[in-house]
Amino acid sequence: MDRRQFLTTAAAVTAISSLPQNTWAQDLLDIKPKRVGLVGCGWYGKCDLMRLIQVAPVEVVSICDVDSQMRTGAAELIASRQKSGKQPRQFGDYRQMLAEKDLDICLVGTPDHWHALAMIEACKSGADVYVQKPISVDIVEGQAMLAAARKYDRVVQVGTQRRSTAHLIEARDKVIDQGLLGTIGHAEICCYYGMGRNRKADNCPPPEYLDFEMWTGPAPKLPFNPVMHPRSWRMFQEFGNGIVGDMCIHMLDTVRWMLDLGWPNSVSSRGGTYVHTDATGNVPDTQVATFDFDDLDVVWTHRTYGDAPDRDYPWAIFLYGDKGTLKASVNKYEFFPKGKKEATLSGAPKTEWDKYPEDQHEKDLEQHVAAANRAHQRDFLKAIENRSRPVADIEQGHISTASCILANLSLKLGRSLTWDAEAGHVEGDDEANQLLAREYRGDWVHPTVDNV
């Protein structure tokens, strides 16, 4: 029996005991202060770092970014927020920063195509790592990242903070684990946000404050375009995994966590660019992917135009059981018993402005997500203290990331892919297996399980 059916009382008790506890923030005041570095000083790199500063006695000693303006702005923000009031050292190359080997924790908040090399080097340097999702741009990178974490005995938390989102933990505990859905036979996950997919701009020289050669790194070299930097690099398949890698991974990982699922047996996907045909980006504006988990299919849909079928849940999870339906998102959850139009259970995030008033004025902060990010950082820190696996351990991040990459490969190849999790390859498909690791540019060396 699994979470798609009625879970045992023991499992429910275990789940409740794993809830992030508010008292943990106070407990952290008694631990040894941690020296922290950040690679990638953009939007979410700073969001993650500021939440870590809020819950732990840390000193941010080093930051790295190839954009000198972004780097300088981050240094000023850090000085205004950390207890010492000091600005961190600044680097333009993560290798120079990590060569100092003086960090307890390294956060990696770069574009996707830089996650693997920076995370692996941080592990080698002796740091525990918080790396953003998706962990990699290809599957072999992810396999190498998992191997590096285990080889160097590092704690690695992935930024899939839905696993630390209080109202989603409540939904799991009160709805799924209590058997209110009955047998779950189908799951839908979706995103109907625009995601900037329709942005258009002409190529131009990169700004003088951006080291575009280093920004590109191992990825294919394209002419610079303002859509690429900052933030909209996800609209280029050369630098990330598109909307599936950005948004699907969160919802797929949440379903996997809620229902205790491992690897999908097979993945299939269809889609393309049907509406934003003259936009600068090259990732699909429309995509459907099916992840087959034995007797449960998880079906993803995204489109960057039109309205969501359920306007209250434009980026969401829908779990369907024979006794009811669970709707869940970053904004709320609702449980509807079979045949009922009104929800009998619901929950929503809290802002925690009373404890962290600075959140109200932080530029671009997702206010409804800040508390979950703090809980995720606490879980990471607790795992560091105990030398244990965090809730979003690198292995879980690898499974969710690789599943999304398989969806993109299925779309590219036009066929379903059957995954052999033990062997780490696609069954009976040499062409697909050739795409599990993409070619690195220039002198950059692609990481593998054998060379980390």
Side-chain angles (χ1 to χ4, degrees):
M1 227 178 240
D2 57 29
R3 281 196 172 110
R4 282 165 284 162
Q5 298 171 313
F6 196 95
L7 268 72
T8 64
T9 302
V13 170
T14 300
I16 292 170
S17 68
S18 67
L19 272 165
Q21 301 294 318
N22 290 334
T23 56
W24 177 243
Q26 184 62 42
D27 293 343
L28 289 173
L29 298 177
D30 299 327
I31 71 171
K32 179 183 176 182
K34 306 293 184 185
R35 292 172 62 85
V36 175
L38 170 66
V39 183
C41 301
W43 175 40
Y44 238 82
K46 291 196 292 289
C47 285
D48 290 335
L49 183 61
M50 293 306 108
R51 307 291 79 70
L52 179 62
I53 289 173
Q54 288 175 325
V55 301
V58 301
E59 177 71 13
V60 183
V61 296
S62 300
I63 60 172
C64 175
D65 203 289
V66 295
D67 182 322
S68 61
Q69 284 190 354
M70 195 170 284
R71 190 170 68 231
T72 300
E76 292 171 352
L77 176 62
I78 290 164
S80 73
R81 296 285 287 274
Q82 67 179 357
K83 188 175 180 180
S84 70
K86 295 180 181 179
Q87 285 200 14
R89 296 170 298 186
Q90 297 185 35
F91 296 87
D93 188 323
Y94 72 97
R95 294 168 297 185
Q96 295 174 2
M97 184 183 94
L98 294 172
E100 299 289 330
K101 295 187 176 181
D102 62 349
L103 301 178
D104 299 305
I105 294 172
C106 180
L107 282 71
V108 178
T110 62
D112 295 353
H113 68 286
W114 268 117
H115 287 177
L117 292 179
M119 175 270 182
I120 292 169
E121 195 64 29
C123 288
K124 289 181 178 179
S125 77
D128 295 310
V129 184
Y130 186 101
V131 61
Q132 261 305 327
K133 57 78 214 168
I135 67 165
S136 59
V137 291
D138 66 48
I139 290 177
V140 173
E141 280 187 345
Q143 293 169 338
M145 294 167 79
L146 174 57
R150 301 298 186 250
K151 178 179 179 178
Y152 299 104
D153 193 25
R154 306 324 305 163
V155 174
V156 181
Q157 177 89 300
V158 177
T160 46
Q161 67 267 24
R162 305 287 85 80
R163 291 175 179 245
S164 296
T165 301
H167 70 275
L168 295 179
I169 294 171
E170 180 181 299
R172 181 196 64 179
D173 294 347
K174 290 187 176 182
V175 178
I176 299 170
D177 287 6
Q178 296 303 314
L180 299 187
L181 292 174
T183 299
I184 301 170
H186 185 66
E188 294 175 2
I189 53 179
C190 63
C191 181
Y192 299 104
Y193 294 149
M195 304 301 297
R197 181 62 184 83
N198 62 342
R199 288 186 62 190
K200 291 182 283 188
D202 295 328
N203 295 337
C204 65
E208 60 181 16
Y209 52 80
L210 176 67
D211 182 348
F212 187 56
E213 175 67 24
M214 188 64 177
W215 186 94
T216 302
K221 186 68 176 288
L222 300 181
F224 177 78
N225 189 284
V227 174
M228 293 176 182
H229 177 79
R231 288 177 63 167
S232 289
W233 47 266
R234 294 185 186 281
M235 296 303 105
F236 297 82
Q237 59 187 341
E238 290 81 4
F239 310 123
N241 293 298
I243 297 168
V244 167
D246 185 16
M247 306 300 274
C248 176
I249 185 175
H250 271 301
M251 298 298 111
L252 176 63
D253 186 76
T254 305
V255 171
R256 289 187 50 251
W257 161 69
M258 282 182 160
L259 301 183
D260 233 358
L261 302 173
W263 285 93
N265 299 315
S266 64
V267 180
S268 60
S269 184
R270 296 290 301 272
T273 298
Y274 303 142
V275 174
H276 302 308
T277 55
D278 60 346
T280 300
N282 58 21
V283 300
D285 63 13
T286 309
Q287 191 167 353
V288 177
T290 300
F291 304 90
D292 171 26
F293 295 92
D294 292 325
D295 55 346
L296 174 76
D297 280 349
V298 180
V299 179
W300 164 261
T301 303
H302 82 244
R303 52 180 162 77
T304 59
Y305 51 89
D307 292 325
D310 187 330
R311 295 192 182 195
D312 285 341
Y313 290 91
W315 180 36
I317 294 164
F318 303 90
L319 299 181
Y320 299 98
D322 62 344
K323 294 182 180 179
T325 299
L326 175 66
K327 299 182 179 183
S329 74
V330 296
N331 296 299
K332 62 179 177 178
Y333 84 84
E334 295 174 297
F335 168 65
F336 297 84
K338 181 182 177 181
K340 303 293 184 182
K341 294 184 178 180
E342 299 295 329
T344 57
L345 286 173
S346 63
K350 296 179 174 60
T351 59
E352 298 186 327
W353 287 342
D354 55 333
K355 297 179 182 177
Y356 307 100
E358 62 272 24
D359 280 5
Q360 300 178 68
H361 309 293
E362 187 171 318
K363 186 175 183 289
D364 294 332
L365 176 64
E366 295 175 305
Q367 299 289 343
H368 59 295
V369 178
N373 197 325
R374 277 187 287 269
H376 214 45
Q377 302 296 341
R378 292 187 190 109
D379 179 84
F380 176 43
L381 291 157
K382 188 173 183 179
I384 290 172
E385 290 303 297
N386 296 335
R387 304 316 298 171
S388 59
R389 303 279 166 83
V391 68
D393 175 62
I394 184 65
E395 183 173 10
Q396 297 303 320
H398 171 48
I399 294 172
S400 294
T401 296
S403 299
C404 290
I405 293 172
L406 287 170
N408 286 336
L409 293 182
S410 172
L411 175 61
K412 179 183 179 73
L413 295 170
R415 57 181 174 269
S416 178
L417 303 177
T418 300
W419 182 249
D420 184 332
E422 185 174 349
H425 65 223
V426 179
E427 291 184 5
D429 196 327
D430 291 340
E431 184 181 10
N433 287 321
Q434 289 295 318
L435 299 174
L436 298 185
R438 71 176 188 176
E439 184 177 353
Y440 268 24
R441 185 176 69 97
D443 296 331
W444 296 101
V445 178
H446 195 296
T448 67
V449 169
D450 296 326
N451 70 14
V452 296

PDB file of all heavy atoms in Angstrom, residues 264-294:
ATOM      1  N   PRO A 264       9.755   7.517 -12.704  1.00  0.00           N
ATOM      2  CA  PRO A 264       8.711   7.057 -13.628  1.00  0.00           C
ATOM      3  C   PRO A 264       9.248   5.908 -14.473  1.00  0.00           C
ATOM      4  O   PRO A 264      10.450   5.830 -14.746  1.00  0.00           O
ATOM      5  CB  PRO A 264       8.424   8.294 -14.487  1.00  0.00           C
ATOM      6  CG  PRO A 264       9.702   9.071 -14.463  1.00  0.00           C
ATOM      7  CD  PRO A 264      10.297   8.833 -13.095  1.00  0.00           C
ATOM      8  N   ASN A 265       8.367   5.022 -14.882  1.00  0.00           N
ATOM      9  CA  ASN A 265       8.770   3.920 -15.759  1.00  0.00           C
ATOM     10  C   ASN A 265       9.009   4.401 -17.186  1.00  0.00           C
ATOM     11  O   ASN A 265       9.906   3.909 -17.877  1.00  0.00           O
ATOM     12  CB  ASN A 265       7.694   2.829 -15.769  1.00  0.00           C
ATOM     13  CG  ASN A 265       7.472   2.240 -14.397  1.00  0.00           C
ATOM     14  OD1 ASN A 265       8.425   1.940 -13.689  1.00  0.00           O
ATOM     15  ND2 ASN A 265       6.221   2.072 -14.012  1.00  0.00           N
ATOM     16  N   SER A 266       8.194   5.336 -17.608  1.00  0.00           N
ATOM     17  CA  SER A 266       8.338   5.880 -18.956  1.00  0.00           C
ATOM     18  C   SER A 266       7.828   7.316 -18.971  1.00  0.00           C
ATOM     19  O   SER A 266       7.057   7.730 -18.100  1.00  0.00           O
ATOM     20  CB  SER A 266       7.575   5.042 -19.986  1.00  0.00           C
ATOM     21  OG  SER A 266       6.184   5.079 -19.737  1.00  0.00           O
ATOM     22  N   VAL A 267       8.283   8.060 -19.966  1.00  0.00           N
ATOM     23  CA  VAL A 267       7.888   9.461 -20.121  1.00  0.00           C
ATOM     24  C   VAL A 267       7.602   9.709 -21.596  1.00  0.00           C
ATOM     25  O   VAL A 267       8.363   9.294 -22.476  1.00  0.00           O
ATOM     26  CB  VAL A 267       9.011  10.420 -19.648  1.00  0.00           C
ATOM     27  CG1 VAL A 267       8.576  11.873 -19.825  1.00  0.00           C
ATOM     28  CG2 VAL A 267       9.388  10.141 -18.201  1.00  0.00           C
ATOM     29  N   SER A 268       6.501  10.389 -21.871  1.00  0.00           N
ATOM     30  CA  SER A 268       6.180  10.777 -23.242  1.00  0.00           C
ATOM     31  C   SER A 268       5.729  12.222 -23.255  1.00  0.00           C
ATOM     32  O   SER A 268       5.173  12.715 -22.271  1.00  0.00           O
ATOM     33  CB  SER A 268       5.086   9.875 -23.830  1.00  0.00           C
ATOM     34  OG  SER A 268       3.896   9.970 -23.065  1.00  0.00           O
ATOM     35  N   SER A 269       5.978  12.909 -24.371  1.00  0.00           N
ATOM     36  CA  SER A 269       5.631  14.333 -24.430  1.00  0.00           C
ATOM     37  C   SER A 269       5.365  14.757 -25.864  1.00  0.00           C
ATOM     38  O   SER A 269       5.992  14.246 -26.804  1.00  0.00           O
ATOM     39  CB  SER A 269       6.765  15.174 -23.838  1.00  0.00           C
ATOM     40  OG  SER A 269       6.420  16.543 -23.809  1.00  0.00           O
ATOM     41  N   ARG A 270       4.422  15.694 -25.996  1.00  0.00           N
ATOM     42  CA  ARG A 270       4.109  16.320 -27.282  1.00  0.00           C
ATOM     43  C   ARG A 270       3.995  17.817 -27.066  1.00  0.00           C
ATOM     44  O   ARG A 270       3.678  18.274 -25.981  1.00  0.00           O
ATOM     45  CB  ARG A 270       2.784  15.779 -27.837  1.00  0.00           C
ATOM     46  CG  ARG A 270       2.764  14.299 -28.173  1.00  0.00           C
ATOM     47  CD  ARG A 270       3.611  13.965 -29.382  1.00  0.00           C
ATOM     48  NE  ARG A 270       3.163  14.691 -30.576  1.00  0.00           N
ATOM     49  CZ  ARG A 270       2.226  14.232 -31.405  1.00  0.00           C
ATOM     50  NH1 ARG A 270       1.614  13.080 -31.167  1.00  0.00           N
ATOM     51  NH2 ARG A 270       1.894  14.930 -32.481  1.00  0.00           N
ATOM     52  N   GLY A 271       4.219  18.571 -28.132  1.00  0.00           N
ATOM     53  CA  GLY A 271       4.054  20.018 -28.028  1.00  0.00           C
ATOM     54  C   GLY A 271       4.870  20.753 -29.066  1.00  0.00           C
ATOM     55  O   GLY A 271       5.381  20.163 -30.018  1.00  0.00           O
ATOM     56  N   GLY A 272       5.011  22.059 -28.867  1.00  0.00           N
ATOM     57  CA  GLY A 272       5.775  22.884 -29.791  1.00  0.00           C
ATOM     58  C   GLY A 272       5.485  24.346 -29.559  1.00  0.00           C
ATOM     59  O   GLY A 272       4.900  24.743 -28.547  1.00  0.00           O
ATOM     60  N   THR A 273       5.907  25.168 -30.498  1.00  0.00           N
ATOM     61  CA  THR A 273       5.621  26.599 -30.449  1.00  0.00           C
ATOM     62  C   THR A 273       4.515  26.882 -31.451  1.00  0.00           C
ATOM     63  O   THR A 273       4.727  26.828 -32.664  1.00  0.00           O
ATOM     64  CB  THR A 273       6.876  27.416 -30.777  1.00  0.00           C
ATOM     65  OG1 THR A 273       7.876  27.150 -29.784  1.00  0.00           O
ATOM     66  CG2 THR A 273       6.569  28.910 -30.784  1.00  0.00           C
ATOM     67  N   TYR A 274       3.326  27.151 -30.930  1.00  0.00           N
ATOM     68  CA  TYR A 274       2.140  27.283 -31.761  1.00  0.00           C
ATOM     69  C   TYR A 274       1.594  28.701 -31.821  1.00  0.00           C
ATOM     70  O   TYR A 274       0.862  29.041 -32.743  1.00  0.00           O
ATOM     71  CB  TYR A 274       1.038  26.354 -31.248  1.00  0.00           C
ATOM     72  CG  TYR A 274       1.423  24.898 -31.179  1.00  0.00           C
ATOM     73  CD1 TYR A 274       0.995  24.095 -30.130  1.00  0.00           C
ATOM     74  CD2 TYR A 274       2.215  24.318 -32.164  1.00  0.00           C
ATOM     75  CE1 TYR A 274       1.341  22.745 -30.065  1.00  0.00           C
ATOM     76  CE2 TYR A 274       2.574  22.978 -32.111  1.00  0.00           C
ATOM     77  CZ  TYR A 274       2.132  22.191 -31.057  1.00  0.00           C
ATOM     78  OH  TYR A 274       2.480  20.868 -31.001  1.00  0.00           O
ATOM     79  N   VAL A 275       1.919  29.533 -30.826  1.00  0.00           N
ATOM     80  CA  VAL A 275       1.351  30.879 -30.753  1.00  0.00           C
ATOM     81  C   VAL A 275       2.437  31.950 -30.829  1.00  0.00           C
ATOM     82  O   VAL A 275       2.381  32.845 -31.669  1.00  0.00           O
ATOM     83  CB  VAL A 275       0.518  31.050 -29.456  1.00  0.00           C
ATOM     84  CG1 VAL A 275       0.040  32.490 -29.304  1.00  0.00           C
ATOM     85  CG2 VAL A 275      -0.672  30.089 -29.464  1.00  0.00           C
ATOM     86  N   HIS A 276       3.455  31.861 -29.961  1.00  0.00           N
ATOM     87  CA  HIS A 276       4.509  32.882 -29.920  1.00  0.00           C
ATOM     88  C   HIS A 276       5.599  32.551 -30.941  1.00  0.00           C
ATOM     89  O   HIS A 276       6.789  32.428 -30.604  1.00  0.00           O
ATOM     90  CB  HIS A 276       5.091  32.989 -28.511  1.00  0.00           C
ATOM     91  CG  HIS A 276       4.069  33.306 -27.467  1.00  0.00           C
ATOM     92  ND1 HIS A 276       3.195  34.366 -27.571  1.00  0.00           N
ATOM     93  CD2 HIS A 276       3.777  32.701 -26.291  1.00  0.00           C
ATOM     94  CE1 HIS A 276       2.413  34.402 -26.505  1.00  0.00           C
ATOM     95  NE2 HIS A 276       2.738  33.407 -25.714  1.00  0.00           N
ATOM     96  N   THR A 277       5.197  32.444 -32.199  1.00  0.00           N
ATOM     97  CA  THR A 277       6.111  31.970 -33.236  1.00  0.00           C
ATOM     98  C   THR A 277       7.187  32.988 -33.612  1.00  0.00           C
ATOM     99  O   THR A 277       8.203  32.608 -34.188  1.00  0.00           O
ATOM    100  CB  THR A 277       5.326  31.588 -34.497  1.00  0.00           C
ATOM    101  OG1 THR A 277       4.517  32.712 -34.903  1.00  0.00           O
ATOM    102  CG2 THR A 277       4.411  30.398 -34.215  1.00  0.00           C
ATOM    103  N   ASP A 278       6.969  34.269 -33.304  1.00  0.00           N
ATOM    104  CA  ASP A 278       7.965  35.276 -33.666  1.00  0.00           C
ATOM    105  C   ASP A 278       8.748  35.768 -32.462  1.00  0.00           C
ATOM    106  O   ASP A 278       9.478  36.759 -32.547  1.00  0.00           O
ATOM    107  CB  ASP A 278       7.303  36.462 -34.374  1.00  0.00           C
ATOM    108  CG  ASP A 278       6.256  37.161 -33.502  1.00  0.00           C
ATOM    109  OD1 ASP A 278       5.857  36.568 -32.464  1.00  0.00           O
ATOM    110  OD2 ASP A 278       5.847  38.282 -33.854  1.00  0.00           O
ATOM    111  N   ALA A 279       8.637  35.082 -31.320  1.00  0.00           N
ATOM    112  CA  ALA A 279       9.371  35.472 -30.121  1.00  0.00           C
ATOM    113  C   ALA A 279      10.836  35.078 -30.247  1.00  0.00           C
ATOM    114  O   ALA A 279      11.214  34.237 -31.075  1.00  0.00           O
ATOM    115  CB  ALA A 279       8.751  34.818 -28.890  1.00  0.00           C
ATOM    116  N   THR A 280      11.675  35.672 -29.421  1.00  0.00           N
ATOM    117  CA  THR A 280      13.111  35.416 -29.486  1.00  0.00           C
ATOM    118  C   THR A 280      13.471  34.049 -28.919  1.00  0.00           C
ATOM    119  O   THR A 280      14.377  33.387 -29.412  1.00  0.00           O
ATOM    120  CB  THR A 280      13.872  36.515 -28.719  1.00  0.00           C
ATOM    121  OG1 THR A 280      13.570  37.773 -29.321  1.00  0.00           O
ATOM    122  CG2 THR A 280      15.370  36.283 -28.759  1.00  0.00           C
ATOM    123  N   GLY A 281      12.786  33.607 -27.879  1.00  0.00           N
ATOM    124  CA  GLY A 281      13.099  32.334 -27.255  1.00  0.00           C
ATOM    125  C   GLY A 281      12.760  31.146 -28.139  1.00  0.00           C
ATOM    126  O   GLY A 281      12.033  31.277 -29.133  1.00  0.00           O
ATOM    127  N   ASN A 282      13.293  29.963 -27.776  1.00  0.00           N
ATOM    128  CA  ASN A 282      13.098  28.793 -28.631  1.00  0.00           C
ATOM    129  C   ASN A 282      12.575  27.566 -27.876  1.00  0.00           C
ATOM    130  O   ASN A 282      12.654  26.446 -28.385  1.00  0.00           O
ATOM    131  CB  ASN A 282      14.402  28.437 -29.355  1.00  0.00           C
ATOM    132  CG  ASN A 282      15.559  28.166 -28.403  1.00  0.00           C
ATOM    133  OD1 ASN A 282      15.362  27.864 -27.226  1.00  0.00           O
ATOM    134  ND2 ASN A 282      16.777  28.281 -28.914  1.00  0.00           N
ATOM    135  N   VAL A 283      12.024  27.754 -26.678  1.00  0.00           N
ATOM    136  CA  VAL A 283      11.437  26.615 -25.965  1.00  0.00           C
ATOM    137  C   VAL A 283       9.933  26.576 -26.261  1.00  0.00           C
ATOM    138  O   VAL A 283       9.330  27.596 -26.608  1.00  0.00           O
ATOM    139  CB  VAL A 283      11.692  26.704 -24.443  1.00  0.00           C
ATOM    140  CG1 VAL A 283      13.180  26.706 -24.150  1.00  0.00           C
ATOM    141  CG2 VAL A 283      11.018  27.913 -23.822  1.00  0.00           C
ATOM    142  N   PRO A 284       9.295  25.410 -26.141  1.00  0.00           N
ATOM    143  CA  PRO A 284       7.880  25.279 -26.504  1.00  0.00           C
ATOM    144  C   PRO A 284       6.974  26.196 -25.691  1.00  0.00           C
ATOM    145  O   PRO A 284       7.142  26.325 -24.475  1.00  0.00           O
ATOM    146  CB  PRO A 284       7.573  23.813 -26.204  1.00  0.00           C
ATOM    147  CG  PRO A 284       8.887  23.117 -26.246  1.00  0.00           C
ATOM    148  CD  PRO A 284       9.879  24.114 -25.732  1.00  0.00           C
ATOM    149  N   ASP A 285       6.018  26.816 -26.364  1.00  0.00           N
ATOM    150  CA  ASP A 285       5.008  27.586 -25.626  1.00  0.00           C
ATOM    151  C   ASP A 285       3.822  26.699 -25.246  1.00  0.00           C
ATOM    152  O   ASP A 285       2.939  27.107 -24.494  1.00  0.00           O
ATOM    153  CB  ASP A 285       4.548  28.822 -26.408  1.00  0.00           C
ATOM    154  CG  ASP A 285       3.847  28.509 -27.731  1.00  0.00           C
ATOM    155  OD1 ASP A 285       3.482  27.344 -27.970  1.00  0.00           O
ATOM    156  OD2 ASP A 285       3.679  29.450 -28.535  1.00  0.00           O
ATOM    157  N   THR A 286       3.823  25.463 -25.757  1.00  0.00           N
ATOM    158  CA  THR A 286       2.754  24.507 -25.483  1.00  0.00           C
ATOM    159  C   THR A 286       3.387  23.124 -25.311  1.00  0.00           C
ATOM    160  O   THR A 286       4.157  22.693 -26.179  1.00  0.00           O
ATOM    161  CB  THR A 286       1.759  24.445 -26.652  1.00  0.00           C
ATOM    162  OG1 THR A 286       1.334  25.758 -26.999  1.00  0.00           O
ATOM    163  CG2 THR A 286       0.551  23.586 -26.302  1.00  0.00           C
ATOM    164  N   GLN A 287       3.071  22.434 -24.219  1.00  0.00           N
ATOM    165  CA  GLN A 287       3.652  21.104 -24.032  1.00  0.00           C
ATOM    166  C   GLN A 287       2.793  20.283 -23.073  1.00  0.00           C
ATOM    167  O   GLN A 287       2.302  20.794 -22.062  1.00  0.00           O
ATOM    168  CB  GLN A 287       5.087  21.204 -23.500  1.00  0.00           C
ATOM    169  CG  GLN A 287       5.865  19.893 -23.534  1.00  0.00           C
ATOM    170  CD  GLN A 287       7.358  20.091 -23.295  1.00  0.00           C
ATOM    171  OE1 GLN A 287       7.859  21.220 -23.234  1.00  0.00           O
ATOM    172  NE2 GLN A 287       8.087  19.003 -23.163  1.00  0.00           N
ATOM    173  N   VAL A 288       2.628  19.026 -23.401  1.00  0.00           N
ATOM    174  CA  VAL A 288       1.966  18.057 -22.536  1.00  0.00           C
ATOM    175  C   VAL A 288       2.933  16.899 -22.332  1.00  0.00           C
ATOM    176  O   VAL A 288       3.548  16.425 -23.302  1.00  0.00           O
ATOM    177  CB  VAL A 288       0.653  17.540 -23.147  1.00  0.00           C
ATOM    178  CG1 VAL A 288       0.030  16.468 -22.257  1.00  0.00           C
ATOM    179  CG2 VAL A 288      -0.331  18.682 -23.370  1.00  0.00           C
ATOM    180  N   ALA A 289       3.106  16.453 -21.096  1.00  0.00           N
ATOM    181  CA  ALA A 289       4.000  15.327 -20.810  1.00  0.00           C
ATOM    182  C   ALA A 289       3.293  14.370 -19.860  1.00  0.00           C
ATOM    183  O   ALA A 289       2.601  14.796 -18.930  1.00  0.00           O
ATOM    184  CB  ALA A 289       5.305  15.813 -20.188  1.00  0.00           C
ATOM    185  N   THR A 290       3.475  13.083 -20.089  1.00  0.00           N
ATOM    186  CA  THR A 290       2.894  12.055 -19.224  1.00  0.00           C
ATOM    187  C   THR A 290       4.016  11.261 -18.573  1.00  0.00           C
ATOM    188  O   THR A 290       4.888  10.708 -19.270  1.00  0.00           O
ATOM    189  CB  THR A 290       1.983  11.108 -20.012  1.00  0.00           C
ATOM    190  OG1 THR A 290       0.917  11.864 -20.601  1.00  0.00           O
ATOM    191  CG2 THR A 290       1.392  10.045 -19.101  1.00  0.00           C
ATOM    192  N   PHE A 291       4.003  11.221 -17.254  1.00  0.00           N
ATOM    193  CA  PHE A 291       4.978  10.468 -16.462  1.00  0.00           C
ATOM    194  C   PHE A 291       4.254   9.239 -15.908  1.00  0.00           C
ATOM    195  O   PHE A 291       3.304   9.372 -15.126  1.00  0.00           O
ATOM    196  CB  PHE A 291       5.522  11.330 -15.329  1.00  0.00           C
ATOM    197  CG  PHE A 291       6.131  12.620 -15.781  1.00  0.00           C
ATOM    198  CD1 PHE A 291       5.350  13.775 -15.901  1.00  0.00           C
ATOM    199  CD2 PHE A 291       7.472  12.698 -16.120  1.00  0.00           C
ATOM    200  CE1 PHE A 291       5.902  14.978 -16.323  1.00  0.00           C
ATOM    201  CE2 PHE A 291       8.032  13.897 -16.559  1.00  0.00           C
ATOM    202  CZ  PHE A 291       7.252  15.037 -16.667  1.00  0.00           C
ATOM    203  N   ASP A 292       4.691   8.064 -16.330  1.00  0.00           N
ATOM    204  CA  ASP A 292       4.008   6.818 -15.971  1.00  0.00           C
ATOM    205  C   ASP A 292       4.643   6.201 -14.729  1.00  0.00           C
ATOM    206  O   ASP A 292       5.797   5.765 -14.775  1.00  0.00           O
ATOM    207  CB  ASP A 292       4.090   5.845 -17.149  1.00  0.00           C
ATOM    208  CG  ASP A 292       3.598   4.446 -16.794  1.00  0.00           C
ATOM    209  OD1 ASP A 292       2.767   4.332 -15.867  1.00  0.00           O
ATOM    210  OD2 ASP A 292       4.058   3.477 -17.423  1.00  0.00           O
ATOM    211  N   PHE A 293       3.896   6.192 -13.621  1.00  0.00           N
ATOM    212  CA  PHE A 293       4.332   5.545 -12.388  1.00  0.00           C
ATOM    213  C   PHE A 293       3.424   4.334 -12.128  1.00  0.00           C
ATOM    214  O   PHE A 293       2.421   4.433 -11.423  1.00  0.00           O
ATOM    215  CB  PHE A 293       4.226   6.513 -11.208  1.00  0.00           C
ATOM    216  CG  PHE A 293       5.140   7.711 -11.292  1.00  0.00           C
ATOM    217  CD1 PHE A 293       4.705   8.892 -11.873  1.00  0.00           C
ATOM    218  CD2 PHE A 293       6.417   7.663 -10.768  1.00  0.00           C
ATOM    219  CE1 PHE A 293       5.535  10.003 -11.934  1.00  0.00           C
ATOM    220  CE2 PHE A 293       7.258   8.765 -10.824  1.00  0.00           C
ATOM    221  CZ  PHE A 293       6.817   9.946 -11.411  1.00  0.00           C
ATOM    222  N   ASP A 294       3.747   3.208 -12.738  1.00  0.00           N
ATOM    223  CA  ASP A 294       2.948   1.987 -12.577  1.00  0.00           C
ATOM    224  C   ASP A 294       1.471   2.259 -12.847  1.00  0.00           C
ATOM    225  O   ASP A 294       1.095   2.536 -13.968  1.00  0.00           O
ATOM    226  CB  ASP A 294       3.169   1.389 -11.183  1.00  0.00           C
ATOM    227  CG  ASP A 294       4.584   0.845 -11.025  1.00  0.00           C
ATOM    228  OD1 ASP A 294       5.130   0.323 -12.005  1.00  0.00           O
ATOM    229  OD2 ASP A 294       5.147   0.969  -9.925  1.00  0.00           O
TER     230      ASP A 294
END
